[in-house]
Amino acid sequence: MQQTRLDTARIRAARRVIDPTFLDTPLYRCEALEPGLGCTVSIKLETANPVRSFKARGTEIVASRLADRGSRAVVCASAGNLGQALAWSGRGRGLDVTVVASRFATVAKLDRIRALGAGLELVDGDHEMARERAAAIARYDGVRLLEDSLDIETCEGAATIGLELVDAVPSFDTVLIALGGGALATGVGHVLKTLAPDVEVICVQPLGAPAMTHSWHRRRVVTTGSTDTIADGVAGRFPIPAVLDDLLLVADDAVLVQEASIIAGMRMLLHHAGLVVEPSSALGIAAILEDRERFAGRHVVTIVCGSNVDMDAYHHWVGAPPTHRS
């Protein structure tokens, strides 16, 4: 395999830096999902931790290195999950964390960022505008800018998930990975293509936020003017060239799924797996629903990457909770 920016030795070393509460997350076969999907399905669950997403695997590395160097401040743009993770990792190491987010971001995510002690600045545009503002703050204040997916720590932190999949002695032959900025896909993909090259790596993105998928297929950066998806965690418009280069080396395919399939996936994860997830986490299930023939007879792992969801919106999507009669 050609070389990505990632290094397997560094990824192994990262496990010694990341707080154990984020490591060795559950991986289990979920037979209850299988009749509706027509294939063997295992879940890698990245939501059972203090920030309810995989993102702290990367921010733990960033915060640890900053603290070791005596740095005291860091800023990032976030749709919500990265900001929570950086706030958590920074708080434990005495860092001054600023998060820039869209004021249209999920309220539950913004509330948790504040609760974890980070400074929060809201912009009137989308995530791309938040990225621009975070970069301006970093330049003006002379502090570290954490850029998700571009900064290698975010990819190599996510890549520790790949180590755990491989160490499980994989009987699976396909891994479905939510695709947004690309840290999760390039990280896990790098490890699998290095240590378990026969496993197929399929990235999944919403039809309403297709920039990285279009870029992968055309092998060049393709931007979009807007996004229109409930999966806010993967709704970028400007792929990062270096991240695309890595993705081209490790992904076997990139597919787009419809909003209705994402909602159906969330509903299935609730009713058959007992999991309340954010839309990005249901992308893998959505991919199977849209192409059952492709996955028939295969053993598929889907990474459930986050569960920070606005509950009012969630009930609107999947249906109101049952009312209990006395």
Side-chain angles (χ1 to χ4, degrees):
M1 187 182 81
Q2 290 178 264
Q3 292 302 303
T4 68
R5 297 177 301 142
L6 289 79
D7 180 82
T8 306
R10 282 201 309 261
I11 295 163
R12 292 192 186 281
R15 285 183 54 85
R16 298 192 291 272
V17 172
I18 299 168
D19 189 300
T21 195
F22 300 107
L23 295 173
D24 301 311
T25 52
L27 171 65
Y28 59 95
R29 182 177 171 188
C30 188
E31 292 183 53
L33 283 170
E34 295 174 359
L37 296 174
C39 60
T40 302
V41 181
S42 289
I43 285 172
K44 180 63 168 165
L45 188 65
E46 291 296 310
T47 63
N49 62 57
V51 298
R52 289 164 47 174
S53 83
F54 76 94
K55 294 287 190 181
R57 290 178 183 258
T59 59
E60 281 288 281
I61 304 170
V62 172
S64 175
R65 290 178 180 172
L66 284 171
D68 287 347
R69 291 200 295 264
S71 301
R72 280 288 163 255
V74 59
V75 60
C76 75
S78 175
N81 286 350
L82 180 74
Q84 286 181 74
L86 186 60
W88 193 94
S89 297
R91 185 181 66 176
R93 294 171 177 85
L95 302 181
D96 178 14
V97 175
T98 301
V99 178
V100 184
S102 167
R103 69 176 64 258
F104 308 110
T106 301
V107 173
K109 295 180 180 182
L110 301 180
D111 287 346
R112 284 299 298 155
I113 290 169
R114 293 187 185 97
L116 287 165
L120 180 63
E121 180 174 323
L122 300 179
V123 298
D124 286 324
D126 65 4
H127 180 63
E128 302 302 342
M129 185 175 289
R131 282 173 61 180
E132 292 174 8
R133 176 58 185 155
I137 291 171
R139 286 193 302 270
Y140 185 80
D141 293 342
V143 301
R144 166 69 188 269
L145 172 66
L146 173 59
E147 292 195 75
D148 200 12
S149 303
L150 177 60
D151 286 11
I152 202 67
E153 299 98 327
T154 61
C155 304
E156 292 184 343
T160 59
I161 298 170
L163 291 179
E164 293 167 20
L165 291 174
V166 172
D167 289 346
V169 190
S171 58
F172 54 88
D173 47 37
T174 304
V175 177
L176 296 169
I177 309 174
L179 179 61
L184 183 62
T186 58
V188 174
H190 169 89
V191 171
L192 290 173
K193 290 306 171 189
T194 303
L195 303 177
D198 292 336
V199 174
E200 187 178 27
V201 174
I202 301 177
C203 305
V204 190
Q205 198 164 38
L207 196 60
M212 187 62 104
T213 297
H214 286 334
S215 299
W216 185 88
H217 283 281
R218 298 178 192 175
R219 305 190 72 81
R220 61 176 176 81
V221 170
V222 177
T223 63
T224 60
S226 62
T227 60
D228 183 15
T229 178
I230 61 171
D232 61 306
V234 294
R237 297 189 288 117
F238 296 101
I240 298 168
V243 182
L244 175 61
D245 289 344
D246 290 341
L247 191 69
L248 288 169
L249 294 174
V250 302
D252 294 298
D253 200 3
V255 301
L256 297 171
V257 295
Q258 300 174 54
E259 298 295 290
S261 302
I262 298 171
I263 292 169
M266 294 171 71
R267 196 174 286 129
M268 288 189 75
L269 287 165
L270 175 64
H271 293 312
H272 301 298
L275 297 174
V276 174
V277 303
E278 61 188 80
S280 300
S281 287
L283 288 168
I285 301 298
I288 303 172
L289 286 171
E290 290 199 5
D291 198 354
R292 283 183 175 86
E293 280 191 19
R294 176 176 188 170
F295 299 101
R298 299 167 79 170
H299 185 172
V300 179
V301 172
T302 185
I303 300 173
V304 174
C305 53
S307 65
N308 291 296
V309 63
D310 178 271
M311 291 310 297
D312 288 339
Y314 181 83
H315 292 314
H316 173 73
W317 295 326
V318 306
T323 53
H324 295 284
R325 293 186 176 91
S326 54

